[in-house]
Amino acid sequence: MASDRSFTDSFIDEDPKRALEELNVALGETAGNAEWLCQRAYAHILLQNYNRAVDDAKKAQQLQPGMAIAFLRTGIAEYHLNNIGAAHQAFTTGKGLDDSNEAFQTWITRCEERMATQSQNGTSNVQTATLPIKHDWYQTESQVTVTIMVKNAKKEEVMVTFEEKELRAEVKLPSGEDYCLHIQLLHPVAPEQSTYKVLSTKVEIKMKKTEAIRWEKLEGEGTLSNMKHFAPSANQYPSSSHYTRKWDKLVGDIKEEEKNEKLEGDAALNKLFQQIYTDGSDEVKRAMNKSFMESGGTVLSTNWSDVGRRKVDVNPPEDMEWKQY
């Protein structure tokens, strides 16, 4: 029976994404299985889907109020969401249900350390930076990039979590304050293909679009009627800039300039040959290619009826000597 199946921690550790898919199927058949909900919360934690982990763990608590592990899952997810007070409460409740599990005390201590630090800085559980931290965004056909303008952030003190329609970024600023950016995205992204980098001047977040559509804005609720496919004109080079060039027109202008350019000496002669070749018939082009190649570049003929019947000999100018290398 499906309800007899067990999803162990080791099974989920091995491949969280696959485990999540199988748990989704199992819970689709038996939605009220508290153990499976608790284990799906664990898979979500490993995949950094913390809000979904909280939802599943709390459902498991409602179904089985004495399930200590459900409170552990809740606490861990809340901690990563920077809800330290809620995390501490979940760990404390869980420890009361299962005092033998040392993980509860470890997490309780960690929460108390965080709360003490925040108290010293005069901040609440969810700190808001007093400094004006700006963020910006732009898009390409396949990605949406969000940039947080914070300098000298430490990689280990930056945490970014992706969900299908949600972005959350937490940054410990050099001043000791916590900066949190929480965005409900306009359209879905692919969390498993989204990444971020911590640079010396900024935190750069790249989210993979699920569809090649143009986002009118970063946040909000998108509907199908508002979706426009991201399809730059064939005559425009894709760019994040608001200014676009008509590249066919630019190429035409360059060609016109080259055509009207006045050249002298060898340059003028070469241009003449190029023009003859460009405007010539297939026979003219064959004659020019054959005569030039066979004569080592010393003869250039446009008469195919002549050079087509014979091998073109080398014929250097009178004041020059032909040498083969």
Side-chain angles (χ1 to χ4, degrees):
M1 294 176 61
S3 59
D4 294 334
R5 179 159 185 192
S6 176
F7 296 92
T8 63
D9 286 3
S10 58
F11 171 75
I12 298 171
D13 288 335
E14 186 176 344
D15 191 342
K17 187 177 179 182
R18 177 190 164 199
L20 179 59
E21 292 171 354
E22 295 191 18
L23 279 160
N24 286 339
V25 172
L27 284 164
E29 299 172 358
T30 312
N33 190 310
E35 181 183 343
W36 290 354
L37 283 166
C38 192
Q39 292 307 85
R40 187 167 71 174
Y42 180 50
H44 278 309
I45 289 171
L46 294 181
L47 294 169
Q48 299 183 354
N49 301 329
Y50 300 120
N51 283 310
R52 293 182 183 180
V54 170
D55 291 341
D56 278 350
K58 286 186 175 180
K59 287 177 185 177
Q61 292 172 26
Q62 293 170 0
L63 291 168
Q64 290 190 26
M67 181 181 281
I69 192 68
F71 288 91
L72 181 65
R73 306 290 196 229
T74 302
I76 293 172
E78 293 281 22
Y79 183 90
H80 285 295
L81 289 171
N82 207 32
N83 300 327
I84 309 303
H88 185 269
Q89 182 179 352
F91 292 134
T92 303
T93 304
K95 187 176 187 298
L97 294 170
D98 182 9
D99 191 42
S100 64
N101 190 337
E102 296 179 358
F104 284 113
Q105 187 56 52
T106 300
W107 280 102
I108 288 171
T109 302
R110 189 176 299 181
C111 287
E112 290 174 350
E113 289 174 351
R114 281 285 298 274
M115 288 189 291
T117 302
Q118 291 171 351
S119 178
Q120 290 172 4
N121 292 336
T123 57
S124 61
N125 280 350
V126 180
Q127 297 173 298
T128 303
T130 57
L131 296 175
I133 304 299
K134 296 181 180 180
H135 73 273
D136 199 0
W137 76 286
Y138 65 91
Q139 63 181 306
T140 64
E141 183 177 358
S142 61
Q143 288 184 327
V144 172
T145 300
V146 175
T147 304
I148 302 173
M149 303 302 186
V150 56
K151 294 182 178 180
N152 302 319
K154 296 180 180 179
K155 187 174 182 180
E156 63 272 17
E157 294 182 341
V158 175
M159 182 169 61
V160 179
T161 57
F162 303 98
E163 294 194 30
E164 190 177 62
K165 290 195 67 178
E166 186 175 343
L167 167 67
R168 191 178 187 96
E170 299 170 22
V171 183
K172 175 73 73 175
L173 302 178
S175 63
E177 295 176 288
D178 287 338
Y179 170 80
C180 182
L181 177 66
H182 187 198
I183 297 175
Q184 296 293 332
L185 300 171
L186 182 67
H187 296 301
V189 298
E192 66 279 0
Q193 297 181 54
S194 301
T195 60
Y196 69 94
K197 288 182 179 179
V198 180
L199 306 173
S200 61
T201 57
K202 61 185 177 181
V203 176
E204 186 178 73
I205 303 166
K206 293 188 176 182
M207 296 175 287
K208 175 70 175 177
K209 291 181 177 179
T210 57
E211 293 187 70
I213 56 174
R214 183 182 294 279
W215 292 25
E216 300 301 324
K217 54 184 180 178
L218 181 61
E219 304 178 61
E221 290 294 329
T223 60
L224 289 173
S225 60
N226 293 333
M227 291 185 180
K228 297 180 181 179
H229 283 276
F230 199 108
S233 165
N235 298 333
Q236 295 178 359
Y237 185 81
S239 171
S240 59
S241 171
H242 295 293
Y243 176 72
T244 56
R245 288 181 180 272
K246 294 291 185 179
W247 291 98
D248 282 356
K249 182 178 183 303
L250 182 61
V251 171
D253 291 344
I254 293 172
K255 286 184 176 180
E256 186 65 24
E257 289 178 7
E258 290 177 346
K259 184 177 179 180
N260 297 331
E261 187 180 11
K262 293 183 179 181
L263 302 175
E264 297 179 355
D266 290 342
L269 187 60
N270 286 334
K271 183 180 179 182
L272 174 62
F273 290 149
Q274 290 172 6
Q275 193 64 44
I276 293 172
Y277 187 86
T278 300
D279 297 339
S281 64
D282 289 343
E283 286 191 350
V284 168
K285 292 176 181 177
R286 285 199 297 270
M288 293 179 74
N289 286 332
K290 184 174 186 295
S291 60
F292 188 82
M293 294 298 295
E294 291 182 352
S295 69
T298 60
V299 176
L300 189 61
S301 172
T302 60
N303 188 350
W304 178 249
S305 59
D306 173 31
V307 300
R309 298 193 303 251
R310 63 182 179 86
K311 181 180 179 182
V312 181
D313 296 329
V314 174
N315 185 20
E318 293 182 358
D319 58 342
M320 298 182 68
E321 180 182 357
W322 168 256
K323 290 186 178 181
Q324 186 169 3
Y325 295 92

